[in-house]
């Protein structure tokens, strides 16, 4: 005979279990959840940290090499790296810096530079001037069968580097790789004909020396008239043409200062290179890129202030510029009177 109380007992037990479950569920929901620490991928963090150290080391090796003209064997002894590793590091950093060219080597603004706009000496003559243009020679190492093309007016083999400079001593354009025997005007013709060569805004111009001749976008000094600052140190200008040449020469020294600071900052540019010639050309461009970056973040560093001390440009620019500026102060006083 069936027990009538059994179904009731089962239902009571089931009800108790469900009720206990509801109570527990409510308790879990009402209980305050303790926050857990975020998961840290230690392997990823360790790899990122080590890569950061290696990248810094590679940049340091590159800058040490071009700044002090140190051979890889010497650098390897200091950083405990093999010559093969240093070659690989150098190429890696060089490629990375060259990718910054379009960001650091940029065309000047169309506006009149502050150095001209704020100067009563220059504004009336050069209000549409955006900078100066010139060439410089950098030591080059090339195969013996083509060395004749790279022997110019300088001793040894060189490459002719054309550049423009703004008056805050930055390079808006650089073309490296021409043979040392190439004339500046020939290099200029080449860059003006290139699709991505030197572009000069309509109505604007650069200051160039007599070697560039008379052409659109380049203002050269009067021929057969005193020009260099040393020629005016004891004899002030006697006519309008001489005064123009003096002002032209005073302003164009900015590019001479640029080249002087560049070669003082990167000793490798004045030493016998030990890379292939394409790499030598890239090194020149990389030095100009870094130069522009340094001026952007630290324009008053010691090399910028004393970049010409002890160099051939010191007697040709710094000291004579002081004498010339003293004379011009007296001239301006006479003009105001």
């Amino acid at each position: 005979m069936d027990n009538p109380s059994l179904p009731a007992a089962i239902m009571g037990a089931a009800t108790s279990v469900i009720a206990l479950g509801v109570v527990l569920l409510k308790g879990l929901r009402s209980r305050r959840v303790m926050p857990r620490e975020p998961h840290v991928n230690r392997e990823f963090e360790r790899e990122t940290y080590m890569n950061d150290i290696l990248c810094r080391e590679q940049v340091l090796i590159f800058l040490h090499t071009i700044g002090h003209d140190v051979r890889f064997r010497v650098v390897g002894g200091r950083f405990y790296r093999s010559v093969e590793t240093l070659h690989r590091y150098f190429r890696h950093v060089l490629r990375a810096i060259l990718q910054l060219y379009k960001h650091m080597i940029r065309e000047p603004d169309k506006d009149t530079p502050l150095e001209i706009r704020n100067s009563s000496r220059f504004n009336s003559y050069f209000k549409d001037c955006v900078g100066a243009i010139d060439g410089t020679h950098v030591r080059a190492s090339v195969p013996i069968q083509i060395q004749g093309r790279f022997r110019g007016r300088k001793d040894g083999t060189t490459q002719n580097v054309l550049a423009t400079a703004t008056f805050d001593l930055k390079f808006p354009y650089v073309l490296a790789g021409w043979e040392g025997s190439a004339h500046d005007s020939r290099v200029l013709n080449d860059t003006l004909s290139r699709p991505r060569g030197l572009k000069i805004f309509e109505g604007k111009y650069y200051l160039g020396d007599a070697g560039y001749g008379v052409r659109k976008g380049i203002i050269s000094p009067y021929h057969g008239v005193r020009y260099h600052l040393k020629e005016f140190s004891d004899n002030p200008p006697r006519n309008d043409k001489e005064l123009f040449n003096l002002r032209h020469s005073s302003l164009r020294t900015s590019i001479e200062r640029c080249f002087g600071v560049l070669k003082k900052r990167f000793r490798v540019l004045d030493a016998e290179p030990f890379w292939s010639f394409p790499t030598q050309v890239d090194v020149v461009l990389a030095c100009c890129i870094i130069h522009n970056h340094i001026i952007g973040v630290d324009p008053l560093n010691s090399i910028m202030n004393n970049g010409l001390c002890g160099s051939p440009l010191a007697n040709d620019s710094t000291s004579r510029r002081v004498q010339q500026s003293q004379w011009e102060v007296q001239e301006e006083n006479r003009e105001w009177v």
Side-chain angles (χ1 to χ4, degrees):
M1 182 176 177
D2 294 336
N3 188 353
S5 62
L6 184 59
I10 294 174
M11 290 296 295
T15 302
S16 300
V17 171
I18 294 174
L20 178 61
V22 171
V23 171
L24 292 176
L25 182 61
K26 289 184 177 179
L28 289 174
R29 288 181 176 178
S30 63
R31 187 175 62 184
R32 187 175 182 181
V33 179
M34 298 297 293
R36 297 180 60 185
E37 293 185 0
H39 176 70
V40 178
N41 188 337
R42 300 188 182 279
E43 290 297 328
F44 175 78
E45 293 290 336
R46 185 182 299 110
E47 182 179 358
T48 301
Y49 177 71
M50 294 303 298
N51 287 337
D52 182 60
I53 293 178
L54 288 176
C55 288
R56 292 172 184 266
E57 181 189 52
Q58 292 176 28
V59 173
L60 179 60
I61 289 173
F62 181 88
L63 295 177
H64 185 71
T65 302
I66 67 174
H68 299 282
D69 183 39
V70 183
R71 294 299 191 265
F72 284 155
R73 293 189 181 277
V74 178
V75 178
R78 174 167 295 185
F79 289 89
Y80 301 99
R81 301 293 184 189
S82 68
V83 173
E84 189 276 333
T85 299
L86 295 177
H87 273 281
R88 188 172 68 253
Y89 282 178
F90 189 89
R91 291 192 299 269
H92 178 72
V93 177
L94 180 60
R95 286 195 300 268
I97 292 176
L98 291 177
Q99 293 180 3
L100 300 175
Y101 183 95
K102 62 181 179 180
H103 302 288
M104 303 305 302
I105 309 291
R106 295 182 294 181
E107 296 178 347
D109 296 331
K110 295 182 180 180
D111 299 333
T112 302
L114 291 176
E115 294 81 1
I116 295 178
R117 187 166 66 241
N118 296 335
S119 172
S120 60
R121 291 181 295 159
F122 301 131
N123 189 48
S124 59
Y125 287 94
F126 307 112
K127 64 183 181 64
D128 293 321
C129 178
V130 292
I133 185 170
D134 203 357
T136 188
H137 286 258
V138 175
R139 295 284 297 275
S141 178
V142 293
I144 190 171
Q145 59 268 25
I146 62 172
Q147 285 185 359
R149 292 158 44 193
F150 285 82
R151 295 187 184 276
R153 63 180 185 272
K154 302 292 184 179
D155 295 334
T157 54
T158 62
Q159 58 168 304
N160 191 347
V161 180
L162 179 142
T164 60
T166 53
F167 303 114
D168 58 354
L169 303 187
K170 288 184 178 180
F171 292 109
Y173 180 79
V174 181
L175 174 65
W178 266 91
E179 303 94 329
S181 61
H183 194 273
D184 289 345
S185 61
R186 182 185 175 194
V187 181
L188 178 61
N189 289 334
D190 172 64
T191 185
L192 291 176
S193 64
R194 295 186 178 211
R196 296 186 179 181
L198 176 63
K199 305 301 180 188
I200 305 177
F201 298 124
E202 185 69 27
K204 299 296 181 178
Y205 57 83
Y206 287 96
L207 299 180
D209 60 19
Y212 291 110
V214 179
R215 64 176 69 221
K216 184 178 180 180
I218 306 293
I219 295 294
S220 301
Y222 285 105
H223 289 258
V225 179
R226 285 189 299 166
Y227 177 71
H228 295 289
L229 295 180
K230 62 182 179 181
E231 300 178 74
F232 295 98
S233 58
D234 299 323
N235 299 300
R238 294 168 298 191
N239 53 55
D240 292 342
K241 290 184 177 181
E242 288 191 352
L243 180 59
F244 175 86
N245 276 12
L246 173 60
R247 300 282 171 84
H248 187 289
S249 179
S250 301
L251 201 55
R252 203 183 66 85
T253 55
S254 58
I255 194 163
E256 295 178 355
R257 284 200 64 200
C258 269
F259 288 142
V261 170
L262 184 72
K263 292 182 179 181
K264 187 176 181 63
R265 177 173 279 143
F266 302 107
R267 299 292 187 180
V268 71
L269 299 179
D270 265 339
E272 188 72 23
F274 54 94
W275 306 290
S276 65
F277 186 71
T279 301
Q280 297 171 43
V281 175
D282 289 342
V283 167
V284 173
L285 299 178
C287 290
C288 294
I289 293 171
I290 299 172
H291 167 88
N292 280 10
H293 172 72
I294 293 175
I295 292 181
V297 298
D298 188 15
L300 300 179
N301 63 57
S302 58
I303 293 182
M304 290 298 298
N305 292 331
N306 304 312
L308 299 178
C309 294
S311 73
L313 293 176
N315 295 330
D316 194 48
S317 297
T318 308
S319 61
R320 285 200 299 274
R321 188 162 54 249
V322 172
Q323 297 174 3
Q324 175 261 333
S325 62
Q326 292 174 348
W327 176 86
E328 289 197 344
V329 169
Q330 298 174 1
E331 183 204 27
E332 288 180 356
N333 291 336
R334 288 195 297 269
E335 290 177 356
W336 278 108
V337 171

